[in-house]
Amino acid sequence: MNDEIKGYRFLVFLCLCLLTILLALMANKLFAELQDLSVSDGDSFKVWHSYQTKSQLADLESTLTEEIANEDFSTSRVQESLNIVLSKVFVLKNDDSRAYLWDSKERQALLSPLLHFETFALATVEKPARVTVYDLKKLKDLLQKARLTVDQIARLDEELTARRSLVLRMKFSRQLTWTGGFAIGFLVMLAGLLLVMDRMLLSAMKRSDALTTSSRQLEATVAGSMDAIVIADGFSKIIEYNSSAEGVFGWTREEIIGKTMEEIFFLGGLGSAYKNAMNQTLGRESSGLFHPTRVELSGKRKNGEEFPVELNLTFVEHKNEAIFMAYIRDISERKIAEQELIAARDRAESAGKAKSRFLAVMSHEMRTPLAGIVGVMDLLGTTKLTKKQIHYLQMATSSSKVLLDHINEALDITRIDAGGLEVSFQEFDMADMLKNLVGVLKVLATKKNIELRLQLEKNTKLFFLGDGPKIRQILTNLIGNAIKFTDQGNISVSITGIDDTETSTVNFIITDTGLGIASANHEKIFEEFIAITQSDQNQIRSDGMGLPISRKIARLMEGDIKVKSEIGKGAEFTLSLPLQRVRKNKIKVSKPFELSKLKHQNINALVVEDNNINGEVLTDMLEEMGHSVSRASNGLEALDQVNIQLFDIIFMDINMPFMGGIETTHRIRADSRLNSKTLIIGLTAHSSDDFGKKAEQAGMDYFLTKPIRLENLKKIIFDTVSIDQTAVIAEYSPVLKNLFETLGREKVLRIGEKFFEELDVFIQQSIDGLFTKDHVALVEATHKMKGAALLLGQSLLETPLDKLECHALEGDTTDLQISIQSLQNVAQQSKADFFDFTS
Amino acid sequence: MSKILLFLTLFGLINTLTGPALGQDGNALRLTVSQSETIQLNLEELDALDQIEFTTNTIWLSGETHFSGVSLKALLRQFAIKGNKIEMTALDGYAVSMPIADLEDNAPIISTRLNGKIIPIRENGPYWVVFPYGSDKKYQTEINFARSIWQLKHIRVMD
């Protein structure tokens, strides 16, 4: 800014200098012209001289005439007159300034009469003898001619002079015009400059006014500020201090001015505040923006008291002098309020935590006795009951189930809120999971005469990395709700969004044709403890905590659940989840159990459970199923037991006094000679997530959540046994394996029993000779037996039955006897094998 | 120098006393101091005074011309002449007057030689009042040209 003004000033100065020089030059030129004008070139004098010459010649002529008339004339007088005239001619002749007017010939023509006269006059003057009248007459004659010439010369001189003076005047007038014009221009410029100066003066006045106003405003601002304002120089010396600052720090203005900032601030933080202020200014210069940053540091009152302040320090540099302006606010009260708020928040948080903890403990404590009740009721169901009793038992069981669900949900909510729910990634087969899930829920749908469809595309048969159990939980809830709120029509489950990328957002869409939900309630159904009611009906979507929990879990997995629905038009729930694809088609294979253990139909089980009732229930259930059971009430007792005898299966509670299930399992797997490979099933009152990983790491094969229902227990034992049995059976007979898979073990066993019974009867009848006379009947019976044997995979029987059929057709009785004998042997072997492998 | 001056002064006085005798010379310059007193100066007498010379252009003669002679102011001082102006008259009757205050030490001069030669009457001689025109423009004025009288024969000092 300043440099610019300096530049302008230099320019103006330069212009003025140039103008002055020009004006001086003009004036000088003008003076020179003026002087030239005053200097005479003698023109007028020449004109005068010409006429003088002319009159002298006239005088001479009259003198000569006089002398000619006078007989006695004086030679000297004539000579004197001639001399004077000659002097005139001398001057006239010698002046060559007229040369340019005439060319030489003209000049010669003009001058020649004059020269003739001169020559003769000179001769006359120089004549030593007396001048004669004749001389005079000749002189007169020549003179008369010369006079004409001189007359001409005089006229020419006059003309020349006139012209020359005209040229001079014009030159001068031109110069005068130039100079005058220039002078006028200069004056105009001066006037302009004066105007500009006036303007500048005016603006300077305005600026000064504005400056005064702004400085007054600033003074008023500083003085009237609620914040304390302290201004210090580059050496931290205080140069300004307002009245608010007096109130804050206790120092009066007079006392503090001249002292340093260290007097009112504790050193710590002040340095960084200075640095901050300078950075701010630099930032403002570079970006044009000003971001005041507030710094909190400790202030010092006059009485030495330390107190918290909020400081905004700004920095201004003016003429290489630094000025720091500090805006200070006493934040003691705010700090106290803040601390109180924090304390209040902490109290509230801890209260919330205590409530959650209470809820969790309570739920857990409620589950254990509930597990007992459910177990006992299951056991009660196995006893002989009247129809009414069965009905009461069913009601009690379903009530218990509802209660258990509520407790589980409450636990889930508590855990999600406490952040205790973790997502664990495992590989899972999407198609398999969905088929399984839909298969289970189809039973419920079928009961209500609703169709449940699963729409799967081919590419759904993929493996994903995700929390399969949680996805299953959410889908169970969504499909369960759909079934619950649909009275007729159908429910469809479909999947979209699977593409070839590594991670895709998979959408599970569950559509029903149920009651539908009003759009106003679309969000409410996801809120905790809210049930949507209608005026004419009681609870419509009495989902309990299902949807909120589902959504929370979905969001935990970075997905979401959305709903599209209208009253009476069904509902569409979409679960969207980002899932990572697993390329390799890895199939999990369960650990095969030793054949010897599984051959026994009755297994040897160990129940490790500290709760007596639950332990007893489980024991009774197992015994009811025909298994032998040993008991242990904690880990230490269990370790004693496993050292004594071999178990097929161990049920292990997780939470036990003295030694918990995890630790115990770990030890069994590591140390036990007898039972290191025994199937161990973990039991917990908590949801499986909490201990699942730990249980797996410890070496548990399965993990169950209490209460254990009789039905579940049967299934578990059957599953764990039958899965591995299938593998054994497959070795024995692939056909039988297929049969097992399609019909189930029980049915196959019953069919097997029936077959071997019939076979025994057939052999007995053959031995007894029932077919001796009726070979056709024997052939038919044998053929039928063969078909049944092949159906059951009893390929061992194929050859003897073939032989028997052959011999029966031939009608050879001896051979028939031998064949029947061998069939009997093979049938015994086959029966033993069958039950050996299937039991 | 002072001896010469003394001599000249005495000579002047003698001249004054014996004036009428010398006055008969046709080429003498007459200097009338008052109504009664006239001094006649011939060429030798003028040559005896301090000589001034210069070369200058004139409007009358082509090329540069060398003039030499006596300073008019010095001449008047020589005879301790007091007055306001002088009136100069030529042979042809031309007359011009000039204030004595306008006289400078070296200008004009009463030139007695032109290019080192005595000036004949027909070349504007024998005495020609000239200024050193070329040395200063102030001499190139109509007035000075008019005062540049040639064929000077009489100087009259007036009050």
Side-chain angles (χ1 to χ4, degrees):
Chain A
M1 184 78 179
N2 253 347
D3 284 348
E4 213 178 305
I5 288 172
K6 272 180 195 165
Y8 278 129
R9 284 196 61 198
F10 177 73
L11 209 69
V12 167
F13 185 70
L14 199 74
C15 283
L16 276 173
C17 276
L18 279 171
L19 276 171
T20 312
I21 288 166
L22 271 169
L23 202 69
L25 281 173
M26 284 284 175
N28 186 41
K29 191 85 190 292
L30 196 70
F31 279 125
E33 290 286 335
L34 201 65
Q35 209 172 12
D36 276 355
L37 215 62
S38 70
V39 169
S40 170
D41 52 5
D43 278 350
S44 57
F45 187 80
K46 280 172 194 168
V47 174
W48 174 81
H49 185 257
S50 300
Y51 285 109
Q52 187 71 20
T53 309
K54 198 183 144 190
S55 78
Q56 289 284 339
L57 285 174
D59 280 359
L60 184 62
E61 196 185 338
S62 64
T63 308
L64 284 176
T65 312
E66 220 174 280
E67 294 300 332
I68 289 167
N70 188 1
E71 293 273 313
D72 181 26
F73 59 85
S74 153
T75 302
S76 67
R77 204 177 134 210
V78 169
Q79 280 176 340
E80 199 180 318
S81 287
L82 276 176
N83 262 330
I84 288 164
V85 170
L86 276 172
S87 79
K88 303 288 176 206
V89 175
F90 167 75
V91 170
L92 203 66
K93 188 181 73 180
N94 262 306
D95 185 5
D96 57 357
S97 63
R98 299 175 191 87
Y100 72 94
L101 269 179
W102 326 331
D103 65 18
S104 55
K105 266 185 189 170
E106 231 180 310
R107 190 172 183 233
Q108 287 303 313
L110 271 172
L111 277 177
S112 78
L114 199 63
L115 292 175
H116 279 143
F117 166 76
E118 190 193 20
T119 315
F120 193 75
L122 273 173
T124 309
V125 171
E126 302 288 328
K127 199 175 181 178
R130 209 182 119 83
V131 176
T132 61
V133 178
Y134 172 77
D135 289 335
L136 292 184
K137 280 183 177 165
K138 195 176 180 187
L139 259 176
K140 193 185 167 186
D141 184 43
L142 286 170
L143 181 68
Q144 276 167 341
K145 283 173 187 164
R147 267 182 71 190
L148 293 170
T149 303
V150 171
D151 199 33
Q152 226 165 333
I153 290 170
R155 278 205 305 278
L156 277 168
D157 276 349
E158 207 165 12
E159 194 184 321
L160 177 78
T161 305
R163 271 196 220 173
R164 293 235 305 208
S165 75
L166 186 69
V167 167
L168 259 176
R169 269 201 303 277
M170 275 173 71
K171 221 170 126 192
F172 183 69
S173 107
R174 203 158 53 232
Q175 189 59 42
L176 207 64
T177 311
W178 270 104
T179 313
F182 205 79
I184 286 165
F186 194 70
L187 280 173
V188 168
M189 236 185 67
L190 266 174
L193 269 172
L194 276 171
L195 268 174
V196 169
M197 268 178 71
D198 181 55
R199 277 288 173 87
M200 280 168 82
L201 210 67
L202 210 67
S203 91
M205 269 161 69
K206 271 184 192 164
R207 241 177 302 162
S208 133
D209 264 4
L211 214 64
T212 313
T213 314
S214 91
S215 84
R216 269 183 203 154
Q217 275 172 354
L218 194 71
E219 263 172 41
T221 309
V222 170
S225 168
M226 302 285 279
D227 284 351
I229 297 176
V230 178
I231 301 173
D233 65 8
F235 302 99
S236 206
K237 203 175 84 180
I238 294 167
I239 52 178
E240 193 51 73
Y241 184 85
N242 72 348
S243 57
S244 289
E246 289 182 345
V248 169
F249 293 103
W251 297 88
T252 63
R253 192 174 178 278
E254 287 69 33
E255 284 172 331
I256 203 73
I257 294 270
K259 290 194 171 129
T260 61
M261 294 278 260
E262 280 77 41
E263 213 65 52
I264 54 168
F265 289 112
F266 281 93
L267 268 177
L270 194 60
S272 66
Y274 276 130
K275 219 175 272 172
N276 226 346
M278 284 161 97
N279 284 340
Q280 271 177 45
T281 309
L282 289 177
R284 180 178 51 183
E285 277 166 8
S286 63
S287 68
L289 293 170
F290 188 64
H291 301 290
T293 44
R294 293 190 173 273
V295 184
E296 284 185 14
L297 72 161
S298 296
K300 203 198 286 184
R301 291 198 221 277
K302 192 182 179 185
N303 59 15
E305 188 193 332
E306 186 178 346
F307 66 106
V309 293
E310 196 178 59
L311 169 74
N312 179 24
L313 200 63
T314 57
F315 166 71
V316 179
E317 199 176 350
H318 181 63
K319 288 181 181 170
N320 292 328
E321 270 180 41
I323 289 171
F324 289 94
M325 278 172 283
Y327 305 87
I328 304 134
R329 194 172 289 177
D330 184 349
I331 54 168
S332 309
E333 280 172 25
R334 199 172 82 193
K335 280 279 159 191
I336 291 164
E338 255 173 37
Q339 268 161 9
E340 277 172 359
L341 267 176
I342 289 167
R345 188 197 64 199
D346 287 350
R347 274 199 303 278
E349 269 180 3
S350 72
K353 270 184 194 159
K355 266 180 204 162
S356 294
R357 208 161 41 240
F358 172 75
L359 199 60
V361 170
M362 273 308 290
S363 304
H364 181 72
E365 292 306 319
M366 279 151 83
R367 280 172 72 101
T368 307
L370 189 61
I373 294 168
V374 171
V376 167
M377 283 191 297
D378 273 356
L379 281 175
L380 193 62
T382 63
T383 61
K384 215 176 178 185
L385 296 170
T386 64
K387 262 194 178 176
K388 219 173 197 177
Q389 281 171 330
I390 288 168
H391 182 61
Y392 291 151
L393 189 62
Q394 277 172 348
M395 285 201 294
T397 308
S398 70
S399 291
S400 309
K401 209 178 162 301
V402 171
L403 181 59
L404 189 65
D405 283 347
H406 287 336
I407 291 170
N408 282 343
E409 282 170 357
L411 265 176
D412 275 346
I413 290 277
T414 326
R415 219 175 26 238
I416 292 166
D417 286 350
L421 197 70
E422 277 174 22
V423 180
S424 60
F425 292 97
Q426 289 155 354
E427 285 170 19
F428 71 97
D429 184 345
M430 176 80 78
D432 199 46
M433 183 201 77
L434 288 168
K435 276 179 193 163
N436 193 296
L437 181 65
V438 170
V440 170
L441 292 167
K442 212 165 198 161
V443 183
L444 286 172
T446 315
K447 269 186 194 169
K448 288 183 80 177
N449 272 328
I450 303 163
E451 197 192 341
L452 176 60
R453 279 192 311 234
L454 174 64
Q455 292 169 331
L456 277 185
E457 282 168 30
K458 277 180 189 170
N459 61 354
T460 322
K461 292 182 179 176
L462 290 167
F463 290 86
F464 285 93
L465 195 62
D467 198 327
K470 288 206 177 67
I471 297 170
R472 196 188 157 103
Q473 188 185 345
I474 296 169
L475 290 173
T476 306
N477 179 261
L478 293 178
I479 300 169
N481 281 342
I483 295 167
K484 209 189 283 179
F485 298 108
T486 305
D487 293 327
Q488 54 186 18
N490 56 64
I491 293 159
S492 86
V493 179
S494 62
I495 290 190
T496 62
I498 296 172
D499 49 39
D500 208 33
T501 49
E502 276 301 306
T503 307
S504 46
T505 301
V506 181
N507 298 311
F508 301 83
I509 303 160
I510 293 106
T511 319
D512 65 49
T513 55
L515 294 166
I517 308 153
S519 58
N521 292 327
H522 282 183
E523 277 307 307
K524 277 191 187 165
I525 54 170
F526 292 107
E527 285 168 23
E528 289 166 35
F529 309 112
I530 290 214
I532 310 303
T533 60
Q534 276 185 348
S535 49
D536 56 336
Q537 276 175 290
N538 283 330
Q539 288 188 348
I540 298 294
R541 280 246 169 194
S542 176
D543 295 344
M545 304 296 283
L547 279 176
I549 292 168
S550 293
R551 178 175 261 190
K552 279 187 180 180
I553 295 171
R555 288 187 175 166
L556 205 65
M557 294 191 279
E558 290 170 358
D560 203 359
I561 300 174
K562 279 172 185 149
V563 62
K564 271 196 253 173
S565 180
E566 271 179 56
I567 292 283
K569 287 189 180 172
E572 183 189 288
F573 281 82
T574 306
L575 164 69
S576 308
L577 288 175
L579 291 175
Q580 201 185 334
R581 248 173 89 168
V582 183
R583 294 277 167 190
K584 49 193 177 179
N585 285 8
K586 218 170 83 184
I587 297 164
K588 267 189 172 176
V589 183
S590 312
K591 281 184 228 162
F593 295 107
E594 278 172 45
L595 191 63
S596 60
K597 283 184 207 166
L598 300 161
K599 276 179 187 170
H600 307 286
Q601 197 163 8
N602 295 330
I603 59 168
N604 192 17
L606 173 65
V607 173
V608 190
E609 166 69 81
D610 63 326
N611 183 293
N612 259 331
I613 297 170
N614 284 351
E616 203 173 306
V617 167
L618 186 56
T619 306
D620 282 359
M621 281 178 174
L622 287 166
E623 280 175 352
E624 185 71 23
M625 288 156 70
H627 306 300
S628 51
V629 183
S630 302
R631 285 285 313 274
S633 59
N634 59 53
L636 292 175
E637 282 180 30
L639 287 179
D640 289 341
Q641 292 270 9
V642 296
N643 283 336
I644 300 161
Q645 53 175 315
L646 174 70
F647 293 102
D648 294 315
I649 193 162
I650 299 170
F651 291 93
M652 180 79 70
D653 191 19
I654 300 291
N655 289 313
M656 285 182 298
F658 307 117
M659 189 186 282
I662 303 282
E663 164 98 50
T664 313
T665 306
H666 200 72
R667 289 204 180 182
I668 292 171
R669 288 279 183 248
D671 300 332
S672 176
R673 263 173 299 135
L674 280 171
N675 290 295
S676 66
K677 287 186 174 141
T678 304
L679 195 68
I680 299 177
I681 297 172
L683 303 172
T684 181
H686 295 282
S687 256
S688 54
D689 290 319
D690 291 345
F691 292 100
K693 231 172 207 169
K694 276 190 205 163
E696 203 185 317
Q697 279 165 0
M700 288 183 176
D701 298 283
Y702 292 92
F703 197 78
L704 297 175
T705 311
K706 289 190 271 190
I708 295 161
R709 306 293 305 275
L710 185 59
E711 235 173 275
N712 292 344
L713 190 62
K714 275 184 186 168
K715 196 172 175 289
I716 286 155
I717 290 179
F718 175 71
D719 282 350
T720 51
V721 171
S722 70
I723 287 166
D724 301 295
Q725 219 170 21
T726 319
V728 179
I729 292 163
E731 264 173 61
Y732 163 57
S733 163
V735 178
L736 195 60
K737 186 201 156 224
N738 283 340
L739 210 60
F740 259 88
E741 280 171 359
T742 45
L743 298 175
R745 182 172 168 270
E746 308 271 312
K747 242 182 188 168
V748 174
L749 277 175
R750 274 204 299 278
I751 293 167
E753 270 169 30
K754 209 177 170 190
F755 168 73
F756 283 109
E757 224 168 82
E758 279 178 16
L759 187 65
D760 281 346
V761 171
F762 168 70
I763 290 166
Q764 199 56 53
Q765 281 173 344
S766 300
I767 291 166
D768 292 348
L770 198 76
F771 300 108
T772 324
K773 282 171 187 172
D774 191 352
H775 287 269
V776 178
L778 181 64
V779 170
E780 272 177 16
T782 314
H783 192 74
K784 197 177 139 195
M785 278 297 147
K786 198 175 91 179
L790 284 176
L791 190 75
L792 269 173
Q794 303 299 307
S795 51
L796 214 61
L797 288 166
E798 198 183 345
T799 322
L801 281 170
D802 263 352
K803 272 184 186 169
L804 185 65
E805 194 184 348
C806 216
H807 293 148
L809 279 168
E810 285 165 11
D812 191 329
T813 327
T814 325
D815 284 345
L816 209 65
Q817 286 300 319
I818 297 162
S819 296
I820 291 165
Q821 197 65 53
S822 80
L823 175 67
Q824 195 178 13
N825 292 337
V826 175
Q828 273 173 0
Q829 173 71 43
S830 187
K831 187 180 175 182
D833 279 356
F834 178 81
F835 286 108
D836 222 18
F837 279 107
T838 52
S839 60
Chain B
M1 187 72 172
S2 57
K3 273 181 185 172
I4 295 167
L5 274 172
L6 186 66
F7 165 75
L8 282 173
T9 315
L10 286 172
F11 185 75
L13 274 169
I14 293 159
N15 261 339
T16 310
L17 292 171
T18 59
L22 286 164
Q24 300 307 310
D25 188 344
N27 280 342
L29 179 63
R30 287 162 67 205
L31 184 61
T32 305
V33 180
S34 63
Q35 277 171 350
S36 54
E37 191 184 355
T38 295
I39 303 163
Q40 299 236 1
L41 292 163
N42 60 18
L43 188 59
E44 288 80 36
E45 282 163 335
L46 286 172
D47 284 347
L49 296 172
D50 280 348
Q51 294 296 303
I52 288 171
E53 55 178 335
F54 49 77
T55 304
T56 181
N57 276 317
T58 66
I59 57 167
W60 307 281
L61 305 172
S62 58
E64 290 198 323
T65 314
H66 181 263
F67 292 98
S68 61
V70 183
S71 162
L72 187 53
K73 194 176 181 181
L75 183 70
L76 294 182
R77 199 187 292 138
Q78 179 70 41
F79 296 102
I81 290 159
K82 298 257 158 62
N84 273 330
K85 59 177 184 181
I86 49 172
E87 195 186 72
M88 295 177 285
T89 314
L91 289 175
D92 61 355
Y94 176 77
V96 69
S97 69
M98 184 182 181
I100 288 173
D102 282 0
L103 292 175
E104 293 172 30
D105 283 343
N106 297 320
I109 61 167
I110 301 166
S111 176
T112 56
R113 304 284 192 291
L114 194 147
N115 292 334
K117 286 179 193 156
I118 292 167
I119 315 167
I121 292 174
R122 57 179 173 270
E123 289 180 19
N124 298 350
Y127 307 113
W128 190 350
V129 174
V130 285
F131 295 81
Y133 310 102
S135 72
D136 199 325
K137 281 197 169 184
K138 70 178 180 187
Y139 299 126
Q140 302 173 27
T141 60
E142 300 285 353
I143 292 171
N144 284 338
F145 290 146
R147 285 171 183 169
S148 301
I149 184 167
W150 60 65
Q151 295 169 336
L152 178 68
K153 66 170 184 190
H154 195 177
I155 299 170
R156 213 175 266 116
V157 180
M158 327 263 279
D159 285 328

